[in-house]
Short mmCIF file of all heavy atoms in Angstrom, two decimals:
data_model
loop_
_atom_site.label_atom_id
_atom_site.label_comp_id
_atom_site.label_asym_id
_atom_site.label_seq_id
_atom_site.Cartn_x
_atom_site.Cartn_y
_atom_site.Cartn_z
N ASN B 435 63.65 -57.43 -295.12
CA ASN B 435 64.64 -56.91 -296.07
C ASN B 435 64.10 -57.03 -297.49
O ASN B 435 63.00 -57.52 -297.71
CB ASN B 435 66.03 -57.55 -295.87
CG ASN B 435 66.12 -58.98 -296.35
OD1 ASN B 435 65.34 -59.44 -297.18
ND2 ASN B 435 67.08 -59.71 -295.82
N PHE B 436 64.85 -56.54 -298.48
CA PHE B 436 64.29 -56.56 -299.83
C PHE B 436 64.48 -57.92 -300.47
O PHE B 436 64.18 -58.12 -301.63
CB PHE B 436 64.83 -55.40 -300.67
CG PHE B 436 66.21 -55.61 -301.28
CD1 PHE B 436 66.36 -55.69 -302.65
CD2 PHE B 436 67.32 -55.68 -300.49
CE1 PHE B 436 67.62 -55.85 -303.23
CE2 PHE B 436 68.58 -55.85 -301.05
CZ PHE B 436 68.74 -55.94 -302.42
N SER B 437 64.97 -58.83 -299.65
CA SER B 437 64.93 -60.25 -299.99
C SER B 437 65.79 -60.61 -301.18
O SER B 437 66.27 -59.77 -301.92
CB SER B 437 63.51 -60.74 -300.21
OG SER B 437 63.22 -60.96 -301.56
N ASP B 438 65.94 -61.89 -301.34
CA ASP B 438 66.76 -62.39 -302.43
C ASP B 438 65.92 -62.66 -303.66
O ASP B 438 66.42 -63.21 -304.63
CB ASP B 438 67.43 -63.71 -302.00
CG ASP B 438 68.26 -63.51 -300.74
OD1 ASP B 438 68.49 -62.36 -300.36
OD2 ASP B 438 68.67 -64.52 -300.15
N HIS B 439 64.67 -62.29 -303.63
CA HIS B 439 63.78 -62.81 -304.65
C HIS B 439 63.43 -61.87 -305.78
O HIS B 439 63.08 -62.31 -306.85
CB HIS B 439 62.49 -63.32 -304.03
CG HIS B 439 62.76 -64.32 -302.97
ND1 HIS B 439 63.35 -65.51 -303.25
CD2 HIS B 439 62.57 -64.27 -301.65
CE1 HIS B 439 63.50 -66.17 -302.12
NE2 HIS B 439 63.04 -65.44 -301.14
N GLY B 440 63.46 -60.59 -305.52
CA GLY B 440 63.10 -59.68 -306.59
C GLY B 440 61.62 -59.65 -306.87
O GLY B 440 60.80 -59.80 -305.97
N ALA B 441 61.30 -59.50 -308.14
CA ALA B 441 59.96 -59.06 -308.49
C ALA B 441 58.86 -60.07 -308.24
O ALA B 441 57.77 -59.71 -307.85
CB ALA B 441 59.95 -58.67 -309.95
N ASN B 442 59.11 -61.32 -308.46
CA ASN B 442 58.00 -62.26 -308.40
C ASN B 442 58.37 -63.52 -307.66
O ASN B 442 58.72 -64.53 -308.23
CB ASN B 442 57.56 -62.61 -309.83
CG ASN B 442 56.43 -63.60 -309.82
OD1 ASN B 442 55.55 -63.51 -308.99
ND2 ASN B 442 56.46 -64.53 -310.73
N ARG B 443 58.26 -63.46 -306.35
CA ARG B 443 58.69 -64.58 -305.54
C ARG B 443 57.84 -65.81 -305.80
O ARG B 443 56.65 -65.74 -305.93
CB ARG B 443 58.58 -64.19 -304.06
CG ARG B 443 59.25 -65.12 -303.12
CD ARG B 443 58.85 -64.75 -301.71
NE ARG B 443 57.40 -64.85 -301.56
CZ ARG B 443 56.78 -65.96 -301.20
NH1 ARG B 443 57.45 -67.04 -300.95
NH2 ARG B 443 55.47 -65.97 -301.08
N LEU B 444 58.50 -66.95 -305.85
CA LEU B 444 57.76 -68.20 -306.00
C LEU B 444 57.24 -68.64 -304.64
O LEU B 444 57.76 -68.25 -303.61
CB LEU B 444 58.69 -69.27 -306.55
CG LEU B 444 59.20 -69.07 -307.97
CD1 LEU B 444 60.21 -70.14 -308.30
CD2 LEU B 444 58.04 -69.10 -308.95
N GLY B 445 56.25 -69.55 -304.65
CA GLY B 445 55.74 -70.07 -303.40
C GLY B 445 56.82 -70.85 -302.65
O GLY B 445 57.79 -71.33 -303.22
N ALA B 446 56.62 -70.95 -301.34
CA ALA B 446 57.47 -71.77 -300.46
C ALA B 446 58.91 -71.28 -300.36
O ALA B 446 59.78 -72.02 -299.92
CB ALA B 446 57.45 -73.24 -300.89
N SER B 447 59.18 -70.07 -300.77
CA SER B 447 60.55 -69.60 -300.60
C SER B 447 60.70 -68.50 -299.56
O SER B 447 61.82 -68.20 -299.14
CB SER B 447 61.18 -69.19 -301.93
OG SER B 447 60.36 -68.28 -302.60
N ALA B 448 59.60 -67.92 -299.10
CA ALA B 448 59.72 -66.90 -298.04
C ALA B 448 60.12 -67.55 -296.72
O ALA B 448 60.94 -67.02 -295.97
CB ALA B 448 58.41 -66.16 -297.85
N LEU B 449 59.55 -68.71 -296.46
CA LEU B 449 59.91 -69.41 -295.22
C LEU B 449 61.38 -69.80 -295.27
O LEU B 449 62.13 -69.67 -294.31
CB LEU B 449 59.05 -70.67 -295.06
CG LEU B 449 57.54 -70.45 -294.98
CD1 LEU B 449 56.80 -71.77 -294.79
CD2 LEU B 449 57.20 -69.51 -293.83
N MET B 450 61.78 -70.28 -296.45
CA MET B 450 63.17 -70.66 -296.65
C MET B 450 64.09 -69.46 -296.39
O MET B 450 65.10 -69.58 -295.68
CB MET B 450 63.30 -71.16 -298.09
CG MET B 450 64.69 -71.46 -298.57
SD MET B 450 64.67 -72.31 -300.16
CE MET B 450 64.14 -71.05 -301.31
N GLN B 451 63.72 -68.33 -296.93
CA GLN B 451 64.58 -67.15 -296.77
C GLN B 451 64.67 -66.71 -295.30
O GLN B 451 65.75 -66.39 -294.80
CB GLN B 451 64.09 -65.99 -297.62
CG GLN B 451 65.08 -64.84 -297.65
CD GLN B 451 64.40 -63.50 -297.42
OE1 GLN B 451 63.20 -63.36 -297.58
NE2 GLN B 451 65.18 -62.53 -297.05
N GLY B 452 63.54 -66.70 -294.61
CA GLY B 452 63.54 -66.28 -293.21
C GLY B 452 64.48 -67.14 -292.38
O GLY B 452 65.31 -66.65 -291.60
N LEU B 453 64.37 -68.45 -292.56
CA LEU B 453 65.19 -69.36 -291.74
C LEU B 453 66.63 -69.38 -292.20
O LEU B 453 67.55 -69.53 -291.39
CB LEU B 453 64.58 -70.77 -291.76
CG LEU B 453 63.25 -70.89 -291.01
CD1 LEU B 453 62.70 -72.31 -291.11
CD2 LEU B 453 63.39 -70.50 -289.55
N ALA B 454 66.86 -69.24 -293.50
CA ALA B 454 68.25 -69.19 -293.99
C ALA B 454 68.95 -67.99 -293.36
O ALA B 454 70.05 -68.10 -292.80
CB ALA B 454 68.27 -69.08 -295.51
N ASP B 455 68.29 -66.84 -293.40
CA ASP B 455 68.87 -65.62 -292.81
C ASP B 455 69.15 -65.82 -291.33
O ASP B 455 70.23 -65.50 -290.84
CB ASP B 455 67.90 -64.43 -292.96
CG ASP B 455 67.81 -63.91 -294.39
OD1 ASP B 455 68.50 -64.47 -295.27
OD2 ASP B 455 67.03 -62.96 -294.62
N GLY B 456 68.17 -66.34 -290.62
CA GLY B 456 68.25 -66.39 -289.16
C GLY B 456 69.17 -67.47 -288.62
O GLY B 456 69.92 -67.25 -287.66
N TYR B 457 69.12 -68.67 -289.23
CA TYR B 457 69.95 -69.76 -288.71
C TYR B 457 71.37 -69.73 -289.29
O TYR B 457 72.33 -70.02 -288.59
CB TYR B 457 69.35 -71.13 -289.07
CG TYR B 457 68.15 -71.57 -288.25
CD1 TYR B 457 67.02 -72.10 -288.87
CD2 TYR B 457 68.16 -71.51 -286.85
CE1 TYR B 457 65.92 -72.54 -288.13
CE2 TYR B 457 67.06 -71.95 -286.11
CZ TYR B 457 65.95 -72.46 -286.76
OH TYR B 457 64.87 -72.89 -286.03
N PHE B 458 71.48 -69.46 -290.59
CA PHE B 458 72.74 -69.80 -291.25
C PHE B 458 73.51 -68.65 -291.88
O PHE B 458 74.61 -68.86 -292.36
CB PHE B 458 72.49 -70.89 -292.30
CG PHE B 458 71.94 -72.15 -291.70
CD1 PHE B 458 70.66 -72.57 -291.98
CD2 PHE B 458 72.72 -72.89 -290.82
CE1 PHE B 458 70.15 -73.73 -291.39
CE2 PHE B 458 72.22 -74.05 -290.23
CZ PHE B 458 70.92 -74.47 -290.52
#
Side-chain angles (χ1 to χ4, degrees):
Chain B
N435 73 22
F436 81 114
S437 106
D438 303 347
H439 305 297
N442 179 38
R443 193 190 60 89
L444 294 174
S447 53
L449 300 181
M450 173 170 71
Q451 189 227 341
L453 291 178
D455 287 359
Y457 284 134
F458 299 113

